[in-house]
Amino acid sequence: TTPEPVTVIGLGPMGQAMTRALLAAGHPVTVWNRTASRADAVVAEGATRADTVAEALAATHVAMLSLTDYQAMYDILGAAPDALAGRLVVNLSSDTPHRSTEAAQWLATLGARLLVGGIMVPAELVGTEQSYVFYSGSRDDFRTHETTLSVLGRADYRGADHALAQLYYQAQLDIFLTSLAAYLHATAMLRAAGVPAPVFAPYAREMFDMTSYFLDGVPEEIERGEYPGDAATATMMGATAEHIVGASEDAGVDTTLPRAVLSYYRRAIEAGHGAHGWPSLYEVISRPA
Ligand code: NDP
């Protein structure tokens, strides 16, 4: 089958990478960007420039959006509401899950449908084997356009609730941002003792690689709400958390992150989970203090 025509709105690094991946896969691509000059490169590579948003929407049945946030979608599509009827908007911009739900309702009032996308890789990996994208919205829309969507990366449909793709996206980045901050914090402790970052780096990598091993069995414990304490009890891990805060203070580096972790252990122990496994922290994390 012939690759279907697609419109891409928003040509930051991500939108440009998506456009290039689609062009490489043989899709005719129409592009529009607020700052028109940002389209020049992809137009030179084969994309078709639309002069207006309405023209961009009219050109195809599928409009992929890659914008800073959902407000940008309202700013752009709100200027051409009549051109939206019958269109599938695939919004690959980041925002809160609630904003995705609102957007689906807004687009429905204009006769359009929303498929929410959360793309999990940086621009240089878009369209490569490492790339994957969470989607939520109508299953039929997803199935109909799955081949096209798969050009950006593995297309992972998470359900009809529009909030889901954004929720999976934010959950992945929650792990990502917290882990990266922990790496920088650990590096700062060692550098304070004169250890250069490159010397510590292989050890940090080893810990990143090993961490997922500790998830074995944990999801099941969370679902059961039971955290049998074997080796790594909340008390034992909490003592470690105390030591990390102490080491941070001694090193003269910021203690915000290790203190946050320590507070989870303290509250879990106060709540009677001291002899339970470390996953019992879930009980304090899943409920606001
Ligand atoms: P940029 O911020 O570089 O691009 C943003 C795009 O949004 C530009 O085309 C910009 O237009 C447009 N835009 C922003 N505000 C408005 C507005 N009010 N009206 C009209 N257009 C607007 O983002 P990226 O390309 O880096 O990322 C796009 C999305 O992808 C973001 O949601 C980001 O979180 C997500 N993402 C990014 C990754 C990355 O590594 N960069 C990785 C995974 C996801 P103009 O050119 O005129 O300013």
Side-chain angles (χ1 to χ4, degrees):
T1 57
T2 335
E4 69 175 333
V6 180
T7 292
V8 176
I9 292 178
L11 297 170
M14 292 299 282
Q16 293 195 31
M18 290 175 199
T19 303
R20 290 197 172 97
L22 289 162
L23 287 171
H27 291 268
V29 185
T30 299
V31 294
W32 184 89
N33 192 64
R34 176 180 61 180
T35 307
S37 61
R38 247 180 155 177
D40 293 350
V42 288
V43 166
E45 293 166 41
T48 303
R49 187 194 307 270
D51 290 325
T52 64
V53 178
E55 199 181 297
L57 290 170
T60 72
H61 292 290
V62 179
M64 292 185 179
L65 270 48
S66 178
L67 304 164
T68 306
D69 54 20
Y70 269 56
Q71 186 53 49
M73 175 200 73
Y74 291 103
D75 293 348
I76 293 169
L77 301 186
D82 298 339
L84 281 165
R87 297 293 177 277
L88 176 68
V89 174
V90 183
N91 196 339
L92 294 135
S93 316
S94 171
D95 214 314
T96 63
H98 180 65
R99 296 283 277 162
S100 294
T101 303
E102 284 178 344
Q105 289 160 0
W106 179 73
L107 286 167
T109 65
L110 298 167
R113 285 123 47 226
L114 175 68
L115 196 59
V116 181
I119 181 157
M120 296 312 309
V121 293
E124 63 269 24
L125 294 183
V126 170
T128 67
E129 282 208 339
Q130 280 144 289
S131 179
Y132 65 108
V133 188
F134 293 122
Y135 291 98
S136 58
S138 150
R139 181 184 291 273
D140 285 348
D141 282 332
F142 175 78
R143 290 277 174 253
T144 303
H145 301 283
E146 189 172 1
T147 309
T148 303
L149 300 173
S150 299
V151 169
L152 306 182
R154 178 167 55 82
D156 193 337
Y157 179 75
R158 301 315 306 153
D161 179 348
H162 286 93
L164 280 172
Q166 205 69 253
L167 210 45
Y168 273 87
Y169 174 87
Q170 303 301 351
Q172 290 289 76
L173 291 179
D174 182 4
I175 296 174
F176 185 56
L177 267 66
T178 308
S179 304
L180 294 183
Y183 159 71
L184 295 175
H185 179 270
T187 299
M189 285 204 300
L190 279 170
R191 284 192 85 242
V195 179
V199 173
F200 173 56
Y203 297 96
R205 279 184 190 280
E206 192 167 33
M207 184 50 79
F208 273 114
D209 292 347
M210 195 199 271
T211 304
S212 67
Y213 159 82
F214 291 98
L215 299 190
D216 286 355
V218 173
E220 293 74 18
E221 292 184 12
I222 291 171
E223 289 303 323
R224 283 198 305 271
E226 285 170 20
Y227 314 94
D230 29 40
T233 64
T235 298
M236 185 280 277
M237 294 283 267
T240 303
E242 300 271 2
H243 301 157
I244 297 168
V245 170
S248 305
E249 284 169 346
D250 291 349
V253 306
D254 187 86
T255 59
T256 309
L257 190 55
R259 278 188 193 285
V261 174
L262 175 58
S263 83
Y264 288 148
Y265 280 98
R266 284 192 176 151
R267 282 164 52 203
I269 293 163
E270 276 166 25
H273 293 296
H276 297 157
W278 67 266
S280 62
L281 260 65
Y282 184 79
E283 296 298 317
V284 298
I285 289 171
S286 60
R287 293 176 181 80

